Amino acid sequence: MTDVDVIIVGAGPTGLMLAAELRLAGARPLVLERRPEQGKTPKAHGLSGQILDLLHHRGLLEKVRGLVTDPVPPHRFPFGGVHVDLTRFDEPPLKALSVRQQSLERLLEEHATGLGAEVRRGHEVVGLRQDDVSVTAEVRGPDGAYEVTAPYLVGCDGGRSPVRSMAGIGFPGTTYPEVNRIGQVKIPEGLTVHDNGDIETPELGRIEAGFTRTGSGVFALGSLTPGILFIQTTEDDPGEVDDDVPMTLAELGDSIRRVLGGDVPLGEPVRLSRYQFSARQAERYREGRILLAGDAAHLLPSTGTAINVGMSDSVNLAWKLAAEIQGRAPEGLLDTYHAERHAAGARALLQSRAQVGLRRGHDEAAEALRAVFQELLDDEQAARRLASHVAGTDTRYPMPGSPHALAGMFVPDLALQTDDGTTSVAELLRGARPVLLDLAGRPDLRELAQGRANVHTAKAEDRPADVLLIRPDGYVAWAGDDAEGLRESFATWFGA
């Protein structure tokens, strides 16, 4: 006898997104979070990449935009000590919103609980056991110890994941001996900010915007919001950083002094945080009835990608897990979670490790490498390709039996004209159900989908294929005009 369908350990963005997606798919999730309340230490401060399109599919993007703290999304993003300029593109290949992680978590929790998910805070999972049919979590809660059982459990409990350890899943990789300290501070009196972003300090004189490298580390300077300076220091330190201990303005000032050899005046802090980079990936994302997602499955040694990859894990996993629990999944469906997302995580690791290689060198050869790399990024095609890699929008999943160029790619958000008016692909995916989109008037193919997908007939100005079969996570399972191919694709992803 099970208490819920899925136990989710961890109430960060990955766990909360998974809870909401499971509810949309008709499953009953329970989220267990060891902290009694949301953490106050600032962590991620932005959302970028493919997850913005996925949030658009669920009707959440405008709510997320309401959380934005900076009025204009940045179109120049750092990449390992250089910058990728996207201001030349009408439609940037990497989109970003400045959103505090705490605000995002509150929104996602409201979304998940509004759909019927339960979130228990102050409930720590201290033990796990599983058999052929279920997983039991031993929990220490505010009122004492108890157990909860479900067919599956997903560890979304961060880079130090107890779930991963208890499941016996290896987490090979590297933790880099450097500490990064970030501050967003108001501009104090006595500090001059020039039009190009440089600053003038009483002790050190003029400091250029961008990266200043010294024998003691790196000082980064920029601004995304009028009146606010973004400052970051990077210093080598072989010790391990405790992310839960709040950083102070004095700690940031001390770090600046060590790196630059003098003081930079700092105004009232808006955000202070510190972190250490690791490049690690779980050997497997599934051990029996225990699965991993988010930082529990992968740690990326660069900013701006972890939440994107983690929440995308959740959207990929939820519909497959629900189908398995509800007895309608074709054989092997759940195994495609590891196959698809482990490969996506490895690709995210590739670009983030490349950033490490670019930024950590301090000699003349490293400076030359960054200069050449920056010059290459002046080419629009190179900038577009790199931005798509960071965004995860170049991810393509293998789709057996569908040779069309769109198969395995994230579906484009086509503007559609129906008998009922205008709509879009994103609007058709609000309910996280498979969608068959007929763009060529094919009643024979629509008939194959009846009862197995939401069927829509529409016209598009630029028709990429006669018919598209779209998975709940927004990826094209099949595209074309062949009835036998469509039948095989349904059998592969949604059962006979």
Side-chain angles (χ1 to χ4, degrees):
M1 182 70 178
T2 59
D3 304 299
V4 294
D5 290 329
V6 182
I7 301 165
I8 300 170
V9 183
T14 298
L16 294 169
M17 188 70 180
L18 178 59
E21 291 289 295
L22 285 167
R23 284 302 303 138
L24 288 171
R28 299 171 302 145
L30 168 65
V31 182
L32 301 175
E33 169 57 55
R34 66 177 179 84
R35 295 172 180 158
E37 58 184 20
Q38 189 184 53
K40 294 182 171 58
T41 303
K43 292 189 177 180
H45 196 72
L47 202 57
S48 65
Q50 189 75 79
I51 193 59
L52 293 174
D53 295 315
L54 287 165
L55 289 170
H56 182 41
H57 284 184
R58 300 299 183 256
L60 294 172
L61 186 56
E62 287 308 311
K63 292 183 179 180
V64 172
R65 284 199 174 111
L67 306 175
V68 168
T69 54
D70 294 318
V72 179
H75 290 311
R76 292 183 78 243
F77 70 90
F79 188 90
V82 300
H83 279 86
V84 185
D85 185 1
L86 303 180
T87 57
R88 71 193 97 171
F89 298 109
D90 293 334
E91 186 71 18
L94 174 63
K95 300 173 186 176
L97 296 176
S98 181
V99 178
R100 292 187 177 93
Q101 182 169 328
Q102 289 93 333
S103 300
L104 177 65
E105 288 177 1
R106 283 193 291 270
L107 185 151
L108 291 174
E109 184 167 348
E110 290 173 4
H111 175 54
T113 55
L115 292 169
E118 181 182 359
V119 178
R120 297 180 189 172
R121 294 189 177 271
H123 293 251
E124 182 179 8
V125 174
V126 295
L128 293 176
R129 63 181 188 273
Q130 63 172 317
D131 55 30
D132 292 341
V133 295
S134 64
V135 184
T136 297
E138 301 166 14
V139 186
R140 186 164 54 220
D143 300 322
Y146 67 96
E147 294 184 347
V148 61
T149 300
Y152 290 95
L153 179 145
V154 185
C156 304
D157 51 341
R160 295 186 177 93
S161 171
V163 168
R164 187 184 61 240
S165 298
M166 287 185 278
I169 299 174
F171 200 44
T174 303
T175 297
Y176 296 98
E178 62 183 27
V179 177
N180 300 271
R181 294 176 174 89
I182 288 179
Q184 284 179 279
V185 298
K186 294 183 180 178
I187 298 172
E189 291 186 12
L191 186 72
T192 302
V193 180
H194 296 280
D195 291 342
N196 66 350
D198 295 357
I199 60 174
E200 197 84 35
T201 72
E203 184 174 346
L204 296 170
R206 188 161 183 151
I207 301 174
E208 293 183 356
F211 299 95
T212 300
R213 298 175 185 276
T214 72
S216 301
V218 180
F219 175 82
L221 171 68
S223 179
L224 301 177
T225 306
I228 303 293
L229 286 180
F230 176 91
I231 290 172
Q232 177 175 330
T233 62
T234 302
E235 300 177 85
D236 278 0
D237 188 337
E240 189 167 336
V241 169
D242 186 350
D243 295 339
D244 292 331
V245 176
M247 194 180 83
T248 64
L249 193 64
E251 180 182 336
L252 178 61
D254 290 343
S255 180
I256 292 172
R257 194 175 305 111
R258 289 191 296 270
V259 172
L260 294 180
D263 287 315
V264 172
L266 301 173
E268 180 185 346
V270 176
R271 173 201 177 199
L272 295 170
S273 64
R274 98 176 67 68
Y275 57 91
Q276 196 168 26
F277 278 131
S278 293
R280 296 183 180 276
Q281 186 172 29
E283 292 175 338
R284 55 195 180 280
Y285 286 9
R286 180 184 181 188
E287 178 61 37
R289 293 181 171 270
I290 299 171
L291 300 104
L292 302 175
D295 286 355
H298 40 70
L299 287 174
L300 308 175
S302 63
T303 57
T305 54
I307 292 181
N308 176 31
V309 180
M311 291 176 66
S312 297
D313 290 343
S314 294
V315 179
N316 183 284
L317 174 59
W319 66 276
K320 299 172 182 178
L321 201 51
E324 192 75 29
I325 291 164
Q326 294 158 4
R328 52 183 176 79
E331 184 178 355
L333 177 66
L334 191 53
D335 290 333
T336 67
Y337 169 65
H338 167 85
E340 293 179 349
R341 293 310 299 169
H342 196 274
R347 184 151 178 81
L349 267 175
L350 180 67
Q351 61 85 5
S352 53
R353 279 181 168 137
Q355 294 194 49
V356 174
L358 276 174
R359 73 168 183 261
R360 279 190 59 75
H362 299 295
D363 60 10
E364 291 181 352
E367 293 287 358
L369 175 63
R370 284 187 286 269
V372 170
F373 201 87
Q374 185 71 73
E375 190 174 306
L376 290 173
L377 290 175
D378 289 341
D379 181 81
E380 289 192 9
Q381 186 58 37
R384 181 181 296 278
R385 183 165 184 172
L386 184 63
S388 298
H389 190 167
V390 174
T393 52
D394 63 352
T395 296
R396 183 171 190 170
Y397 299 139
M399 294 290 167
S402 187
H404 194 279
L406 264 183
M409 298 297 292
F410 195 78
V411 65
D413 189 22
L414 304 171
L416 303 173
Q417 186 68 42
T418 73
D419 291 341
D420 298 322
T422 58
T423 186
S424 67
V425 169
E427 290 183 12
L428 301 184
L429 288 164
R430 290 285 189 268
R433 285 265 299 154
V435 167
L436 184 99
L437 178 58
D438 178 7
L439 299 173
R442 291 295 302 273
D444 56 327
L445 300 186
R446 295 199 303 271
E447 185 177 350
L448 288 175
Q450 293 298 332
R452 298 193 286 181
N454 291 345
V455 179
H456 299 275
T457 302
K459 293 181 179 179
E461 184 174 344
D462 296 313
R463 189 175 79 195
D466 282 5
V467 176
L468 300 175
L469 177 60
I470 309 166
R471 305 191 321 186
D473 59 356
Y475 281 81
V476 177
W478 179 88
D481 59 4
D482 172 52
E484 186 56 35
L486 177 59
R487 188 177 291 107
E488 290 179 7
S489 186
F490 264 114
T492 297
W493 297 108
F494 310 113

